[in-house]
């Protein structure tokens, strides 16, 4: 039917086939694609696709942030941060939140066409390391839980209509992305087992669930190859569904392929490679599509791609637009429907309540209205409702202080922020904030809030005879904010002047943070956003920005030397309030725009020293002190956990955060949040931030061998739950995959109603390869009235529950043996265990004579990194520092005898590698476990890291039978594979 036209029933005007809703979507897309010229198709590859007026096509934008509410486009319902939603362990709640967010997207678009329907959410990167700056954006460290929650959220975003999508969700960020430090140039070394069992698993379940429109590749490289040219998009992602998934690049990432990563020499090569890998939409140069268009045209002119490659990408984009209903007849506008409804407000409160995790409780909680007495609510988060980079603007807000006042009355609530009150003296006088009326500015939607400019309509700070008291908050690592009595933060606008003008620290580059650097008898005040130092100019305080590192010394010499006078320490004010109160609540944590955010990883798990002093001072003055951590990530607070009678954690809880917390504190709701990631006792228990091999580094709850501060899945309640018998059996129906059927009973045996989160784990004692201590395979959050019993049923495919990636044979496998199925309240609180036996032949050894050995398919390794075999596909192995690396391949079957080996490797020339022995400077050595040396194969220079040579050697001591094989890499080489023959 491509190119055919129907006729409108009301007029005789022909209707193009792509506008005819009676036709299948595939035919409609094909018709529209055929009508587009090549230039029109190329233009659609950019994020901001222009209108095609001759066909009546509107402009289209990929990318509307919607991580926990509609972001960047003005006021919207704000739900808890994603990590807080992860703490609910409640897929159905996330489905309803996704439905609310998707409904608000549609309602907001009805009045502002800039609001996009292709939503970039959720983030399914696993919370492998709690120091990751974007920890707040993920759901959990576990792939099953992450995938289950992502599937639920996308189902809500997508809607239930079988043909039309409410919004088109894109999962972020493909793949193995957990560091902000040099995020566009670092490579995550991901061995096959970690790839299949961990990183791919988080995406796989959500995509297979059927409500995902596409993915966004991450900035980083995996095994030496940028994610924006990842072969896994084709080899894995697109095999999980028959749907035409859309791959949208991350912002600026296509240019990074040349500019920062230097992976390609030209942008034409880069854009061609990205298209061939499967990228369909290019988010680059903001709204300026001209560079992307010219690069695609250049790639076509050079023959790097042909028009069919462009056609494939555009077809996917048009299929998404068709599924969103863009080409259907217009419907009645719904400006008011589904925006900031009472139901959405109630849902935001429900989410805030369910996200609270009770970490410790020695009987202080729940409080009661009658016995709580006077409550001192103290700390830098006590009267805050913080937003993050991916939040919408608040329509309404609830802080802990406000919620307590509403509940108890103002006379029973004492508030102390706990910041230090300070004054700054310059040579010419005291720093002062001019008295001026500050006109509030409405927050407007922005397609890129990074471009939002600071205010210049207010007078800058000056110096004079009278000081202004400033509130100094130390957020850790010496990073400070300074706030004027007006409540406005000191900030720096484009003109360089320091003003009390910001409502909150925020922005892509935060302009509200400073550091105090000791200088003689005083301090220099350095502005972190620009790197400049504050000086006193004729017009007022101004930041002098050094022009390059050579200018830093000059800027320091010209900077003003300030004397810092502390009027009152925050801990002293807190201690005074605590002593006079009946109960103390210390609200500590982070500001989501400071120290641990996109572009900035944390270096420590410690609570900022200033905040650490607050809980200690409060507890010393009043033993009835609870610490409430409101943060985007875990903290190492072992001493607080030991000393205090109650400890709680919540992510930043959105617009209803204060009310939700108060209802938990006073027992209106029994807490049932559970930790979605391990809380470690200190950063010394973590591997290097860039070590993605969770198996070898023994990271996450799956492999961590130590005792965590709080384990994955932990969370207490005001009631108690007992677990009855656990049963497990394997069931298999003809034509269907085998499943494990798990049953257990849970009874509320405590004093009040509450939710239990029943968690089902599997372990494989005695496994032939390292397996997780326990791995989550199912869970259920179930509400139980006092005394009520629920019988819970779970079914999990056997392959998913018991399987692992067998590197010896390159496939997913379930080994025979006895497996343990556990039911409990956390990964460490196991209440019941059952076993199930799997029959079958013993695992076969590696058939090295038939298949050889791919270097990346090792069982264990030391001192190596995985690199790209070619720029298109495949992995190779190199020494981590190009000196010595070691690989172990277990159970290699050499048959009746193996006499020769071939080594496929590449070696780029080393300019320092000269002389007669240069050819011997790089070698691959083969040994058996008993120390027998099989061969040492010298690798000659190949002139290019991607030009491989095959070098053969005779084995003087031919091995036979099954042996473990040890490989040593010496020098700067890339090992692709080994072959063997008898």
């Amino acid at each position: 039917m491509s190119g055919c036209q129907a006729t409108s029933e009301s007029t005789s005007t022909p209707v193009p086939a792509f506008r005819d809703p009676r036709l299948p979507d595939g035919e409609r897309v094909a018709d529209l694609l055929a009508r587009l010229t090549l230039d029109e198709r190329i233009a659609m590859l950019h994020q901001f696709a222009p209108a095609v007026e001759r066909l009546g096509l509107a402009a289209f934008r990929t990318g509307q942030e919607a991580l926990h509410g509609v972001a960047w486009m003005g006021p919207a319902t704000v739900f808890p941060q994603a990590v807080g939603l992860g703490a609910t362990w409640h897929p159905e709640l996330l489905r309803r939140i996704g439905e609310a967010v998707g409904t608000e997207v549609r309602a907001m678009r009805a009045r502002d066409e800039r609001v996009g329907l292709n939503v970039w959410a959720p983030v399914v990167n696993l919370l492998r390391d709690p120091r990751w700056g974007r920890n707040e954006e993920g759901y959990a460290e576990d792939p099953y839980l992450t995938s289950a929650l992502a599937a639920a959220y996308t189902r809500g975003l997508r809607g239930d209509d079988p043909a039309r999508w409410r919004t088109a969700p894109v999962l972020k960020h493909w793949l193995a992305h957990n560091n902000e430090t040099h995020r566009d140039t670092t490579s995550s070394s991901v061995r096959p087992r970690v790839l299949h069992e961990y990183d791919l698993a988080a995406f796989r379940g959500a995509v297979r669930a059927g409500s995902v429109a596409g993915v966004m590749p991450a900035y980083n490289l995996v095994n030496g190859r940028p994610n924006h040219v990842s072969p896994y998009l084709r080899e894995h992602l697109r095999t999980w569904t028959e749907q035409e998934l859309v791959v949208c690049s991350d912002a600026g990432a296509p240019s990074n392929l040349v500019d920062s990563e230097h992976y390609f020499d030209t942008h034409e090569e880069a854009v061609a490679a990205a298209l061939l890998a499967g990228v369909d939409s290019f988010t680059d140069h903001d709204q300026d599509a001209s560079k992307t268009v010219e690069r695609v045209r250049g790639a076509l002119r050079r023959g790097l791609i042909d028009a069919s490659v462009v056609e494939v990408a555009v077809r996917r984009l048009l299929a998404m637009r068709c599924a969103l209903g863009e080409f259907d007849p217009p419907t009645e506008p719904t400006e008011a429907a589904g925006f900031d409804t009472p139901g959405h407000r109630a849902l935001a409160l429900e989410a805030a309540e369910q996200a609270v995790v009770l970490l410790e409780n020695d009987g202080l909680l729940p409080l009661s209205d009658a016995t709580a007495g006077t409550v001192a609510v103290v700390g830098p988060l006590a009267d805050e409702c913080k937003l993050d980079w991916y939040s919408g603007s608040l329509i309404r807000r609830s802080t802990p202080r406000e919620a307590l006042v509403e509940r108890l009355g103002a006379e029973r609530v004492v508030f102390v922020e706990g910041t230090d009150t300070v004054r700054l003296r310059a040579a010419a006088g005291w720093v002062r904030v001019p008295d001026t009326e500050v006109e509030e500015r409405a927050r407007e939607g922005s397609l890129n809030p990074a471009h939002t400019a600071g205010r210049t309509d207010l007078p800058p700070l000056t110096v004079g005879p009278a000081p202004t008291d400033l509130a100094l908050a130390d957020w850790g690592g010496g990073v400070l904010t300074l706030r004027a009595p007006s409540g406005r933060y000191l900030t720096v606008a484009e003109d360089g002047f320091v003003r009390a003008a910001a409502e909150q620290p925020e922005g892509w580059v935060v302009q509200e943070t400073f550091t105090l650097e000791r200088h003689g008898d005083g301090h220099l005040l350095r502005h972190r956003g620009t790197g400049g130092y504050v000086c006193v100019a004729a017009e007022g305080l101004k930041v002098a920005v050094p022009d390059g590192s050579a200018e830093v010394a000059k800027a320091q010499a010209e900077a003003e030397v300030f004397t810092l006078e502390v009027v009152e320490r925050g801990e002293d004010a807190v201690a005074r309030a605590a002593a006079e109160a009946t109960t103390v609540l210390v609200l500590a944590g982070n500001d989501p725009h400071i120290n641990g955010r996109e572009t900035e990883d944390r270096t420590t798990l410690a609570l900022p020293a200033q905040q650490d002093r607050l809980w200690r001072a409060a507890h010393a003055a009043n033993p009835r002190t609870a610490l409430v951590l409101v943060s985007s990530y875990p903290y190492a607070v072992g001493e607080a956990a030991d000393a205090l009678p109650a400890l709680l954690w919540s992510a930043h809880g959105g617009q209803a955060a204060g009310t939700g917390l108060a209802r938990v504190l006073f027992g209106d709701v029994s807490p049932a949040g559970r930790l979605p990631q391990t809380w470690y006792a200190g950063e010394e228990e973590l591997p290097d931030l860039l070590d993605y091999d969770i198996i070898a580094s023994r990271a996450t709850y799956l492999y961590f061998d130590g005792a965590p501060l709080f384990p994955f899945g932990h969370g207490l309640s005001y009631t108690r739950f007992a677990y009855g018998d656990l049963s497990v059996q394997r069931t298999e129906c003809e034509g269907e995959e085998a499943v494990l059927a798990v049953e257990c009973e849970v009874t509320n045996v405590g004093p009040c109603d509450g939710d239990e989160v029943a968690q089902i784990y599997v372990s494989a004692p005695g496994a032939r390869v390292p397996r997780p201590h326990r791995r989550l395979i199912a869970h259920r959050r179930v509400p139980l009235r006092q005394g009520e019993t629920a019988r819970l049923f779970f079914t999990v495919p056997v392959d998913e529950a018991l399987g692992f990636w067998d590197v010896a044979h390159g496939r997913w496998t379930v080994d025979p043996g006895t497996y343990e199925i556990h039911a409990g309240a956390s990964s460490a609180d196991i209440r019941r265990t059952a076993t199930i036996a799997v029959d079958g032949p013993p695992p076969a050894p590696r058939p090295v004579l038939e298949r050889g050995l791919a270097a990346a398919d090792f069982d264990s390794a030391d001192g190596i990194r995985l690199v790209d075999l070619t720029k298109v596909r495949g992995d190779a192995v190199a020494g981590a520092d190009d000196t010595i690396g070691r690989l172990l391949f277990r159970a290699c079957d050499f048959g009746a005898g193996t006499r020769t080996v071939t080594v496929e490797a590449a070696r780029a020339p080393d300019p320092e590698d000269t002389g007669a022995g240069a050819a011997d400077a790089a070698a691959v050595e083969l040994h058996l476990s008993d120390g027998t040396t099989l061969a040492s194969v010298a690798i000659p220079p190949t002139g290019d890291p991607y030009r491989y040579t095959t070098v053969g050697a005779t084995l003087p001591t031919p091995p036979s039978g099954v042996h473990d094989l040890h490989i040593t890499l010496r020098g700067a080489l890339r090992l692709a594979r080994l072959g063997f023959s008898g």
Side-chain angles (χ1 to χ4, degrees):
M1 296 270 310
S2 179
C4 295
Q5 295 180 330
T7 301
S8 170
E9 294 180 5
S10 59
T11 71
S12 59
T13 305
V15 177
F18 75 88
R19 294 285 189 191
D20 188 350
R22 297 169 299 180
L23 297 177
D25 282 2
E27 290 187 22
R28 298 173 68 185
V29 169
D31 173 76
L32 177 54
L33 190 61
R35 296 172 186 269
L36 294 171
T37 68
L38 179 59
D39 282 345
E40 288 167 341
R41 294 178 183 183
I42 293 172
M44 287 186 174
L45 298 178
H46 190 262
Q47 178 190 16
F48 288 86
V52 183
E53 294 181 3
R54 67 181 184 85
L55 296 177
L57 284 184
F60 186 86
R61 172 175 70 96
T62 57
Q64 171 61 59
E65 301 295 351
L67 183 59
H68 54 109
V70 186
W72 299 5
M73 301 309 297
T77 303
V78 179
F79 294 94
Q81 291 180 303
V83 69
L85 298 179
T88 70
W89 287 57
H90 199 329
E92 175 55 22
L93 175 69
L94 266 77
R95 186 202 63 77
R96 290 189 284 130
I97 293 173
E99 183 177 54
V101 174
T103 301
E104 292 204 352
V105 168
R106 283 283 182 174
M108 293 170 71
R109 181 176 172 81
R111 63 171 186 258
D112 183 352
E113 63 182 13
R114 297 178 305 163
V115 177
L117 298 179
N118 169 224
V119 294
W120 288 352
V123 170
V124 295
N125 297 112
L126 298 166
L127 304 183
R128 171 188 60 89
D129 192 308
R131 295 169 297 186
W132 183 33
R134 302 179 76 171
N135 192 85
E136 66 196 30
E137 296 183 34
Y139 288 138
E141 71 179 347
D142 177 77
Y144 154 77
L145 181 59
T146 294
S147 191
L149 297 175
Y153 189 63
T154 55
R155 190 162 63 251
L157 288 169
R158 183 222 182 277
D160 297 327
D161 190 301
R164 290 292 167 259
W165 294 47
R166 180 184 291 121
T167 66
V170 163
L171 303 179
K172 301 195 297 186
H173 306 84
W174 180 281
L175 185 72
H177 178 63
N178 283 123
N179 62 279
E180 298 304 291
T181 305
H182 306 302
R183 63 179 180 172
D184 61 326
T185 56
T186 54
S187 177
S188 306
S189 195
V190 182
R191 63 197 279 193
R193 279 198 61 196
V194 176
L195 175 71
H196 289 272
E197 297 174 29
Y198 195 63
D199 289 297
L200 287 178
F203 286 84
R204 186 167 55 233
V207 171
R208 285 177 173 171
S211 297
V212 171
V215 303
M216 172 187 286
Y219 285 114
N220 62 301
L221 300 83
V222 170
N223 299 346
R225 185 184 296 106
N227 271 314
H228 282 74
V229 292
S230 171
Y232 302 146
L233 294 170
R234 179 180 60 258
E235 295 171 2
H236 298 296
L237 174 70
R238 297 196 187 278
T239 68
W240 298 335
T241 177
E242 295 181 357
Q243 183 185 321
E244 289 275 32
L245 298 175
V246 168
V247 176
C248 300
S249 86
D250 210 337
S255 288
N256 290 347
L257 292 168
V258 175
D259 296 344
S260 62
E261 294 163 351
H262 309 299
Y263 199 71
F264 298 100
D265 293 330
T266 69
H267 288 292
E268 290 82 6
E269 293 172 277
V271 76
L275 281 166
L276 289 168
V279 175
D280 305 304
S281 177
F282 291 76
T283 313
D284 213 355
H285 299 98
D286 206 0
Q287 298 183 49
D288 180 8
S290 63
K291 290 183 174 62
T292 295
V293 167
E294 183 50 40
R295 291 167 183 178
V296 175
R297 288 174 176 162
L300 288 165
R301 284 194 300 268
R302 293 175 56 183
L304 301 173
I305 53 173
D306 59 34
S308 67
V309 176
V310 174
E311 179 179 322
V312 168
V314 175
R315 186 186 70 241
R316 293 173 183 147
L317 291 164
L318 293 177
M320 178 177 69
R321 294 170 66 171
C322 189
L324 288 167
E326 180 182 341
F327 311 140
D328 295 345
T331 57
E332 291 296 321
T334 55
E335 285 87 349
F339 180 76
D340 185 33
T341 66
H344 292 181
R345 298 170 205 166
L347 187 60
L349 175 58
E350 181 183 356
E353 294 168 353
Q354 294 203 12
V356 176
V357 181
L358 181 60
L359 298 172
E360 293 278 7
N361 187 26
D362 290 340
L364 176 63
L365 300 178
L367 304 174
S368 72
D369 294 348
T371 62
T374 300
V375 177
V377 55
V378 304
L381 278 299
D383 196 28
E384 292 284 359
C385 188
K386 292 285 189 183
L387 300 177
D388 60 32
W389 180 246
Y390 292 105
S391 295
S393 300
L394 290 168
I395 303 172
R396 52 187 47 78
R397 75 167 207 165
S398 169
T399 73
R401 182 196 67 81
E402 291 168 342
L404 291 171
V405 167
E406 182 179 358
R407 185 180 194 102
L408 301 175
E411 69 282 357
R412 292 177 60 189
V413 178
V414 178
F415 165 65
V416 175
E417 186 180 27
T419 53
D420 295 342
T421 304
V422 302
R423 296 168 179 173
L424 291 171
R425 178 188 282 276
W430 292 100
V431 172
R432 59 181 298 274
V433 178
D435 294 327
T436 184
E437 291 293 329
V438 180
E439 181 181 346
E440 298 291 338
R441 285 184 172 181
R443 289 178 175 264
E444 298 180 354
S446 171
L447 294 177
N448 190 343
H451 296 165
T452 304
R455 296 186 65 167
T456 57
D457 59 327
L458 301 176
L461 273 63
T462 60
V463 295
T468 297
D469 288 351
L470 302 171
L472 183 153
D474 186 339
W475 296 98
V479 180
L480 315 174
T481 56
L482 295 162
R483 199 180 64 247
S486 66
R488 298 272 171 168
Y489 286 83
L490 303 197
T491 186
V492 178
E494 291 181 358
D495 61 5
F497 285 102
V498 182
R499 297 177 173 86
E503 296 179 22
Q504 287 284 344
E506 59 184 349
W508 183 251
V509 177
V510 177
Q511 302 293 346
E512 294 77 37
T513 54
F514 300 83
T515 57
L516 284 168
E517 298 181 3
R518 175 68 67 178
H519 189 85
D521 294 332
H523 293 86
L524 304 182
L525 185 61
R526 188 168 193 175
H527 179 241
R528 284 175 53 84
T530 61
Y533 291 88
V534 177
C535 59
V536 179
E539 304 93 333
L541 267 63
K542 190 173 185 179
V543 171
V545 181
D547 184 14
S549 58
E551 296 290 320
V552 172
K554 179 181 177 183
Q556 289 176 331
E558 296 176 353
E560 185 71 22
V561 178
F562 294 96
T563 300
L564 179 71
E565 178 182 305
V566 179
V567 178
E568 183 177 44
R569 293 287 182 190
E571 59 264 33
D572 295 336
V574 164
R576 190 165 56 251
E580 297 174 358
T582 308
T583 306
V584 185
L585 301 173
V586 181
L587 276 293
N590 80 308
D591 184 304
H593 289 88
I594 302 173
N595 286 354
R597 50 155 294 169
E598 185 169 0
T599 73
E600 183 181 3
D601 295 312
R602 287 194 296 166
T603 59
T604 179
L605 302 183
L607 196 66
Q610 186 186 58
Q611 297 185 34
D612 188 70
R613 293 193 295 269
L614 297 186
W615 75 257
R616 294 178 189 275
H619 185 242
N622 188 331
R624 287 177 52 85
T625 294
L627 175 60
V628 182
L629 296 170
V630 180
S631 66
S632 307
Y633 37 65
Y635 285 109
V637 286
E639 292 187 17
D642 291 339
L644 297 174
L647 177 62
L648 303 93
W649 170 73
S650 171
H652 295 278
Q655 65 185 47
T659 302
L661 175 64
R663 284 174 52 78
V664 170
L665 290 170
F666 281 83
D668 300 341
V669 177
S670 181
R674 301 292 185 263
L675 291 181
Q677 63 190 132
T678 303
W679 282 44
Y680 297 91
E683 58 267 16
E684 65 278 359
E685 296 185 335
L686 294 168
D688 187 275
L689 179 66
L690 299 180
D691 189 346
Y692 279 74
D693 189 346
I694 63 168
I695 299 175
S697 65
R698 313 302 293 170
T700 76
Y701 86 97
L702 296 165
Y703 295 98
F704 181 57
D705 296 320
L709 178 62
F710 297 112
F712 172 77
H714 171 74
L716 304 179
S717 172
Y718 295 150
T719 189
R720 300 184 308 279
F721 301 95
Y723 282 69
D725 290 341
L726 172 70
S727 67
V728 56
Q729 61 180 352
R730 174 178 174 144
T731 63
E732 188 169 0
C733 298
E734 185 176 350
E736 298 182 4
E737 62 181 345
V739 299
L740 292 185
V742 181
E743 298 183 32
C744 71
E745 281 190 350
V746 179
T747 302
N748 182 346
V749 296
C752 63
D753 299 346
D755 289 7
E756 172 63 327
V757 180
Q759 303 167 37
I760 307 298
Y761 294 87
V762 63
S763 60
R768 63 184 171 100
V769 298
R771 299 291 296 273
H773 296 302
R774 293 186 183 96
R775 181 169 62 85
L776 184 70
I777 58 172
H779 82 285
R780 185 81 43 78
R781 178 163 176 154
V782 55
L784 292 171
R785 296 185 300 274
Q786 184 181 5
E788 183 181 6
T789 296
R791 187 154 190 84
L792 306 180
F793 301 86
F794 307 90
T795 58
V796 187
V798 170
D799 283 352
E800 290 183 17
L802 308 182
F804 70 100
W805 185 257
D806 182 2
V807 291
H809 300 89
R811 65 187 181 221
W812 194 264
T813 189
V814 176
D815 273 359
T818 299
Y819 295 83
E820 293 181 344
I821 307 299
H822 313 278
S826 81
S827 60
D829 184 5
I830 299 302
R831 307 293 182 85
R832 297 286 178 173
T833 297
T835 61
I836 186 166
V838 175
D839 298 326
R846 290 178 181 264
V848 298
L849 289 172
E850 300 159 17
R851 296 183 51 198
L853 291 173
D857 285 338
F858 54 82
D859 285 284
S860 63
D862 179 56
I864 64 97
R865 57 193 168 96
L866 285 160
V867 295
D868 49 338
L869 180 69
T870 72
K871 289 192 174 184
V872 177
R873 64 175 60 85
D875 299 326
V877 175
D881 54 3
D882 286 336
T883 54
I884 297 177
R886 294 180 174 84
L887 306 174
L888 172 61
F889 297 86
R890 295 196 179 278
C892 296
D893 187 355
F894 293 102
T898 298
R899 299 184 177 278
T900 61
V901 62
T902 56
V903 177
E904 184 181 347
R907 177 182 166 201
D910 185 342
E912 298 182 1
D913 187 15
T914 60
D920 299 324
V924 176
E925 300 173 357
L926 290 76
H927 307 267
L928 298 182
S929 294
D930 61 6
T932 300
T933 298
L934 298 180
S936 179
V937 182
I939 307 301
T942 60
D944 187 286
Y946 301 109
R947 183 177 299 153
Y948 290 84
T949 185
T950 300
V951 182
T954 300
L955 306 182
T957 308
S960 61
V962 178
H963 297 273
D964 290 349
L965 178 65
H966 299 258
I967 306 293
T968 301
L969 311 182
R970 298 189 184 275
L973 61 86
R974 290 170 172 237
L975 177 63
R977 62 180 297 106
L978 298 95
F980 300 89
S981 59

